[in-house]
Amino acid sequence: MRQWIVAGNWKMHNTVAESIALAKAIKEGAAGLQGGTVVLAPPFTALASVHQVIQGSPVCLAAQNMYPEDKGAFTGEVSPLMLKDVGCSYVIIGHSERRKYFLEQDTDVNRKVKKATACELIAVMCVGETDEERDRGITQDIVGRQVQTGLSGMENLENVVIAYEPVWAIGTGKVATPAQAQEVHGFIRGLLRRLYGGPAAEQTRIIYGGSVTRDNIGDLIAMEDIDGALVGGASLKADQFLGIIEKTSSAK
Ligand code: PGA
């Protein structure tokens, strides 16, 4: 069976002190939970401090991005080896904000996913359509292309989590309905089945992101192909985030 996963993407929020306080509250609140994984993705500046807090606990550390080289003259970038050095076991790749503001293409996402997994980081690869693409009825074309190109050349999915995050649902308060989300999750799993075979597709975790709260997670997580959540805004408040984790773990 697939294990659930709930990841908090803190984006460009929280000082080191704020990050430490939030990580402590989440670590304490999530202690004893079983059958799944809680992941925190603070900004780069707080990774080492949050690692100190969660070390020895089941909570895992993620970065929000990386550059797909070990080291070199790439001013302003951070390598997967550096992320591992500060305690990361996960990295978010291809978030829609990276695609939109920093012009990341599917081919960049692919390079990063390949490099991250080669370095034994678990890549949380984000995909999702815009509202205009949904209105035009091309959601599956867009998401299919993002998944296929993003995974191009990957021999297996062992260190890959896919996050379906419709762009129109991110930070807007406009969450996808459980049926809308399930439809795309089911489509992605079907695509993985064709590309990697049944057992790999069944084992790969596909999580939903976009305006998830503790009030709407229950109906989403009840869907067959939704294995957890990637949470932005609601991950910045310990009680909200813990509520999402509790509902996920009791449903799965
Ligand atoms: P949101 O962000 O929960 O604030 O909508 C989700 C994300 O960007 O991963």
Side-chain angles (χ1 to χ4, degrees), residues 44 47 63 65-72 74 77-91 93 111-122:
F44 286 124
L47 284 172
N65 182 33
M66 53 158 255
Y67 191 74
E69 293 287 343
D70 290 343
K71 59 181 172 182
F74 303 104
E77 296 295 324
V78 177
S79 87
L81 302 183
M82 294 167 178
L83 298 180
K84 289 186 72 176
D85 189 40
V86 290
C88 289
S89 46
Y90 286 75
V91 59
I93 304 280
R111 264 184 80 200
K112 292 184 180 192
V113 168
K114 283 196 289 202
K115 183 66 184 172
T117 53
C119 292
E120 293 173 340
L121 286 164
I122 298 177

Side-chain angles (χ1 to χ4, degrees), residues 208-222:
Y208 169 81
S211 296
V212 171
T213 64
R214 69 179 158 198
D215 298 322
N216 60 32
I217 186 66
D219 292 337
L220 289 161
I221 204 67

Side-chain angles (χ1 to χ4, degrees), residues 7-9 11 92 95-97 126 163 165-166 169-174 208-213 230-235:
N9 173 11
K11 308 192 180 183
I92 298 171
H95 188 279
S96 73
E97 287 151 16
C126 303
E165 298 204 299
I170 296 178
T172 58
K174 209 173 128 193
Y208 169 81
S211 296
V212 171
T213 64
L230 179 54
V231 186
S235 73

